[in-house]
């Protein structure tokens, strides 16, 4: 009856449909009505994080498995639909997928063109494919390479700096000129 009370309950609890039905067992829904009202699962978009020249026949994705507890961390555990499904796959499993192109998001044709890559908390995955392509060029004797500066942000270095060692190697080998990071939740440092 109280819309504000309902909104507070909904945002605090973040209940799944199953949790709502379990909490209110007096709501008896016919299965046909329930199935007719469920929304279709929307596609998930992930950036390819590999270079075809360096990993022929493979596509690498960078996926964070979503897990969270509602009710300020004291409620039931909720899982991301697609990330959890992907994390449970075994080698050889089939993954239904499609490629959504981004023709304007690519490396310049000339490898000596200077590049500044900026990922302010949006993820480093597509940039990994760029430095991998440049590593492939170096391994194949290509060059010279122009400077490439990577600027990216994430929450905490211990959890989110997932490609740190690859970045360091790419920098040592000359595929990356400079890596600048910003951490919004670094212990002992202001946000």
């Amino acid at each position: 009856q109280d819309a504000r009370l309902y909104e507070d309950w909904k945002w605090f609890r973040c209940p799944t449909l199953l949790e709502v039905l379990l909490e209110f067992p007096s709501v008896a829904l016919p299965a046909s009505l329930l199935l007719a009202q469920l929304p279709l699962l929307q596609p998930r978009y992930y950036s390819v994080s590999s270079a075809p020249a360096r990993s022929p026949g493979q596509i690498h994705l960078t996926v964070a498995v979503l897990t969270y507890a509602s009710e300020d961390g004291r409620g039931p555990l909720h899982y991301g639909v697609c990330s959890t499904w992907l994390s449970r796959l075994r080698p050889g499993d089939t993954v239904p997928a499609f490629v959504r192109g981004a023709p304007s998001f690519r490396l310049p044709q000339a490898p000596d063109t200077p590049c500044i890559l900026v990922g302010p908390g949006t993820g480093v995955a597509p940039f990994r494919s760029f430095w991998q392509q440049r590593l492939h060029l170096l391994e194949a004797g290509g060059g010279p390479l122009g400077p490439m500066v990577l600027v990216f942000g994430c929450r905490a270095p211990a959890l989110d700096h997932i490609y740190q060692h690859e970045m360091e190697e790419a920098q040592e080998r000359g595929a990356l000129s400079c890596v600048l990071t910003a951490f919004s939740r670094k212990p002992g440092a202001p946000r």
Side-chain angles (χ1 to χ4, degrees), residues 27 29 35 37 59 61 73 77 100 118 140 142 160 169:
V27 176
L29 294 175
L35 290 174
Q37 296 305 309
I59 293 178
L61 300 178
L77 207 52
R100 185 177 81 163
V118 180
D160 303 318
E169 178 192 354

Side-chain angles (χ1 to χ4, degrees), residues 63-139:
V63 180
V65 179
L66 179 63
T67 307
Y68 66 94
S70 59
E71 302 175 37
D72 293 331
R74 294 184 301 277
L77 207 52
H78 292 214
Y79 301 92
V81 175
C82 190
S83 62
T84 301
W85 180 79
L86 285 170
S87 74
R88 294 179 179 163
L89 291 173
R90 302 265 185 247
D93 286 350
T94 300
V95 177
F98 62 92
V99 176
R100 185 177 81 163
S104 62
F105 187 73
R106 59 178 167 69
L107 283 172
Q109 296 247 340
D112 60 344
T113 304
C115 296
I116 299 174
L117 311 175
V118 180
T122 57
V124 73
F127 300 136
R128 179 178 182 252
S129 67
F130 290 177
W131 79 66
Q132 281 194 348
Q133 178 63 27
R134 288 169 56 102
L135 282 170
H136 173 76
L137 286 172
L138 290 170
E139 290 162 359

